[in-house]
Amino acid sequence: MERISVAYSPVPTAGSSIKAWWASAVVYQVYPRSFADANGDGMGDLRGVTAHLDHLHKLGVDAVWLSPFYKSPQADAGYDVADYREVDPLFGTLADFDEMLQKAHGLGLKVIVDLVPNHTSDEHAWFQEALAAAPGSRERDRYMFRPGKDSVPGSGDGDLAPNNWKSIFGGPAWTRVTEADGAPGEWYLHLFDTKQPDLNWENAEVKEEMRSVLRFWLDRGVDGFRVDVAHGMVKEAGLPDWEGSAAMVEGATELPGDAHGGHTEAEEPHRAHAAAAGSTAPAAAGGAAVTAATAGEGDGHQPVSPLYPPSPFFDQDGVHDIYRDWNRVLAEYDGDRMLVAEAWVEPAERLARYVRPDEMQQAFNFDFLLAGWDAARTAVAIEASLRAAATVGATTTWVLSNHDTVRHSTRFGLKDPTTFPKGIAAEDEQPDAGLGLARARAATMVSLALPGSAYLYQGEELGLPEHTAVPAEARQDPTFFRTNGVERGRDGCRVPLPWKSGEPGYGFASAAGTGTGAGTGAANAPAAPWLPQPESFGVLAADRQDGVAGSTLELYRAALALRREHRLGAGSFVWAASHEPADGVLAFRNGDVLVIANMGIAAAPLPDGYRVALASMPDAVTGGDAEAKTDLAGARKLAPNSAAYLLAG
């Protein structure tokens, strides 16, 4: 069938009008326990981060985001905070943090720290006070304590939980306490692990405490905060029963047959499939175009939020009052301090409410992450995200992996590269590593060429895969245990990084550290990393890729340099004439750069009059002269599973 040429109009963007550093920044996520170990105890630490900041500076990123390093019993890898103003001894001291911050700023890197406001650790002083206090006390009002549903004098003894909510990590969301007199007592809410009791955000003391925490770190010089579970905190009045089952990633009810947490085309409810109002995205070959009006009609996709009926504990309107308050706190400081929301909220128009001018500065764009390796889905996610953000004058973020998701280099190597499993074990489908990496490199080039801000997860610049064979006895993610292994958990993406291929632990730990090297008998030998590393990490170690043409590390450096040179983060966006998502081809222009990604199964033609500035794989472009305009006889082709940046001339 003959193709009809389509003239595309520019998609609105707000990047060029926002001058703050964060509007177009590339932010690198450091997961401290797995980044680098400076003292040889097998656990990453702040001094390890400091020692490798030069790597990030050379990579070309603008900022570093650190996952929690606060004092914590580590029930959920630090997302169970016992003291928001102290560094956990596992990671060092406040002096170590200050040294890291000073060096980062000296290299021109901004520093963002994690903030966990939905819940504390059960070892936080406040919760310990609550356990010792009586029902109805000031101490208990800081948390979500409630009597049992049947606590009616003469008719019940409170054995039933206050409602039927389920934990995001599996199991019930309520735990009953034993009172001081030894009798069964009230219940407390924990949307995550039992060791993570939810704070009561209707309580004025809670609000003032978190303002104080913000100021503590702002006074030390941090440039912003990544807000964990930013769509949580506020619960619907009355805490009504809800039959749904929310998840951190999909935000959706799991259906029978989805034992390992992966979704299928029929079950998956993301609005990444539904176009923004007024836009149309071509469907896959043979299908009809998807529009905002038709999304959900017989295609298995819901036209409204996938949490239907809506969740009584996520994305409540009251969260926006909190962020308006925090916005005023940040405005007290110079330097364009920022907040970025981890908010699993759909559709894109609802997520945009978090980044209105008087609220947060950014929100993670999970529609883009969830689109998978699919041109039509990715095209819809890009356009819907840009349009929704523009309605509130905000920029968009682009992210493909983080500490809660299977790495995209692995997801894209699965039989269905749009699948989103909740971890992978040895008995599950194993990815095609080479194919996954090729697609991941191409997808990264797409994300780095889009206007707005990009977030990278540590190790993706090395092309690291998910560790898909972490032994059950080595796993530490509470989701694995609370679901009895049905959800494999997030350990596979959290494996310590390989820095030097020829050293124990691939150089993750410093041999000059203080570890005793348990079982080695050698003084000062580093301990084994806290999670086992796969053998594949050896050839992917940073020292094996540094300066090697065609390596993933050098590709990232080149793409980031080109992004800076052409100011793509603050650029514009329009679909290119060669954009054919029905054929698997994604093509757009940002300023003077033409970006083409071939997600199809056949080679795609490259237009004449352009030279290839960067390709995702060394053999991505075939035929003709890649540096000059060619005639039809020598027409260039872009191989499947590849992407290229082209410049006129």
Side-chain angles (χ1 to χ4, degrees):
M1 183 173 66
E2 183 179 354
R3 284 285 175 192
I4 300 175
S5 179
V6 178
Y8 293 99
S9 300
V11 178
T13 60
S16 59
S17 62
I18 302 176
K19 305 305 180 185
W21 65 269
W22 45 261
S24 59
V26 177
V27 183
Y28 184 100
Q29 180 188 358
V30 166
Y31 194 67
R33 60 173 44 219
S34 297
F35 187 67
D37 171 17
N39 67 3
D41 66 354
M43 182 70 66
D45 45 46
L46 291 174
R47 287 174 51 217
V49 176
T50 303
H52 289 280
L53 286 175
D54 289 329
H55 169 82
L56 303 184
H57 177 64
K58 186 176 180 181
L59 183 62
V61 301
D62 303 296
V64 180
W65 150 35
L66 282 86
S67 291
F69 49 84
Y70 311 114
K71 186 176 180 181
S72 165
Q74 304 295 318
D76 185 24
Y79 283 93
D80 49 318
V81 180
D83 190 330
Y84 290 91
R85 297 175 181 82
E86 285 291 340
V87 172
D88 194 282
L90 278 174
F91 305 120
T93 65
L94 274 173
D96 293 333
F97 176 85
D98 291 339
E99 180 183 353
M100 181 276 302
L101 183 66
Q102 182 179 16
K103 181 174 180 180
H105 284 167
L107 292 171
L109 297 170
K110 305 290 187 181
V111 175
I112 299 166
V113 298
D114 234 305
L115 187 68
V116 188
N118 179 72
H119 48 263
T120 72
S121 165
D122 66 340
E123 296 185 23
H124 191 286
W126 272 12
F127 193 72
Q128 291 301 304
E129 292 170 4
L131 292 178
S137 63
R138 167 197 169 198
E139 290 82 2
R140 288 208 174 175
D141 191 56
R142 296 165 177 160
Y143 292 90
M144 303 291 290
F145 277 88
R146 295 292 187 275
K149 183 180 290 187
D150 58 340
S151 294
V152 178
S155 64
D157 55 12
D159 286 342
L160 297 179
N163 63 32
N164 66 348
W165 294 358
K166 299 179 181 67
S167 164
I168 309 303
F169 285 170
W174 294 92
T175 291
R176 196 175 192 185
V177 303
T178 300
E179 302 296 357
D181 61 1
E186 291 189 309
W187 300 71
Y188 70 89
L189 176 68
H190 51 88
L191 290 181
F192 295 89
D193 193 68
T194 55
K195 292 183 67 63
Q196 294 168 290
D198 279 47
L199 287 163
N200 173 19
W201 274 90
E202 301 297 322
N203 181 291
E205 196 173 358
V206 169
K207 296 177 182 178
E208 181 53 39
E209 168 64 5
M210 209 56 66
R211 290 187 203 103
S212 176
V213 170
L214 289 170
R215 291 190 175 99
F216 177 86
W217 293 103
L218 290 167
D219 288 341
R220 298 194 91 82
V222 304
D223 301 286
F225 301 87
R226 176 265 191 187
V227 182
D228 186 62
V229 196
H231 56 316
M233 296 138 80
V234 175
K235 281 69 175 176
E236 183 177 339
L239 309 183
D241 280 352
W242 183 58
E243 298 300 328
S245 180
M248 255 194 318
V249 178
E250 293 96 334
T253 301
E254 287 188 26
L255 302 180
D258 194 26
H260 295 163
H263 63 259
T264 67
E265 186 67 12
E267 297 168 351
E268 185 276 329
H270 304 303
R271 275 298 297 268
H273 295 266
S279 67
T280 301
V290 179
T291 68
T294 62
E297 293 182 2
D299 63 358
H301 305 134
Q302 301 178 14
V304 295
S305 169
L307 294 181
Y308 192 83
S311 163
F313 50 78
F314 279 162
D315 196 28
Q316 297 292 303
D317 288 343
V319 298
H320 300 286
D321 292 332
I322 297 170
Y323 300 134
R324 292 187 186 97
D325 182 37
W326 291 7
N327 183 291
R328 291 189 290 270
V329 172
L330 267 63
E332 300 169 7
Y333 296 80
D334 58 11
D336 293 318
R337 313 297 175 98
M338 59 87 76
L339 299 166
V340 56
E342 182 213 27
W344 297 96
V345 173
E346 301 170 278
E349 293 81 4
R350 193 154 182 93
L351 181 63
R353 301 169 77 234
Y354 288 75
V355 290
R356 288 176 289 196
D358 61 344
E359 295 191 39
M360 306 179 96
Q361 284 69 35
Q362 292 186 334
F364 289 133
N365 180 356
F366 293 122
D367 269 0
F368 181 74
L369 182 152
L370 291 164
W373 182 254
D374 181 277
R377 291 164 56 115
T378 301
V380 175
I382 290 172
E383 182 160 347
S385 300
L386 288 172
R387 289 187 181 278
T391 63
V392 293
T395 59
T396 301
T397 67
W398 310 101
V399 61
L400 290 165
S401 288
N402 62 38
H403 66 290
D404 285 329
T405 63
V406 171
R407 288 182 178 273
H408 64 285
S409 59
T410 293
R411 298 198 314 270
F412 293 170
L414 295 172
K415 182 178 180 181
D416 176 0
T418 68
T419 299
F420 203 90
K422 295 179 180 176
I424 299 175
E427 56 268 36
D428 300 325
E429 177 196 348
Q430 297 298 296
D432 181 327
L435 178 62
L437 179 57
R439 289 170 170 174
R441 288 166 60 118
T444 294
M445 284 186 60
V446 170
S447 69
L448 292 177
L450 291 165
S453 180
Y455 283 74
L456 308 178
Y457 179 49
Q458 65 175 38
E460 69 171 84
E461 78 277 15
L462 304 177
L464 296 187
E466 185 89 356
H467 189 350
T468 59
V470 177
E473 62 271 17
R475 291 189 179 273
Q476 300 191 30
D477 189 347
T479 63
F480 177 77
F481 301 103
R482 288 181 63 84
T483 63
N484 293 317
V486 172
E487 289 189 19
R488 308 313 196 189
R490 300 161 291 176
D491 295 310
C493 68
R494 299 175 173 185
V495 174
L497 299 190
W499 292 101
K500 297 180 180 179
S501 57
E503 294 188 1
Y506 305 119
F508 167 66
S510 169
T514 59
T516 59
T520 67
N524 295 325
W530 70 280
L531 278 175
Q533 300 159 301
E535 290 185 7
S536 61
F537 275 24
V539 296
L540 297 174
D543 68 332
R544 293 282 293 269
Q545 299 194 46
D546 186 22
V548 177
S551 70
T552 303
L553 176 58
E554 293 302 331
L555 174 70
Y556 269 69
R557 288 171 175 168
L560 286 164
L562 195 147
R563 174 187 168 92
R564 286 194 306 275
E565 178 185 354
H566 294 269
R567 301 189 70 248
L568 300 181
S572 57
F573 183 92
V574 63
W575 294 115
S578 51
H579 181 57
E580 293 285 359
D583 294 335
V585 177
L586 192 77
F588 61 89
R589 293 199 314 272
N590 183 345
D592 60 350
V593 177
L594 172 63
V595 181
I596 299 180
N598 185 0
M599 300 180 177
I601 59 174
L606 293 179
D608 291 341
Y610 289 88
R611 62 181 176 85
V612 177
L614 185 66
S616 63
M617 298 294 287
D619 57 352
V621 178
T622 59
D625 181 355
E627 296 299 323
K629 180 177 178 179
T630 61
D631 57 28
L632 274 179
R636 296 169 299 165
K637 300 283 187 179
L638 181 65
N641 307 309
S642 301
Y645 293 164
L646 293 90
L647 296 170

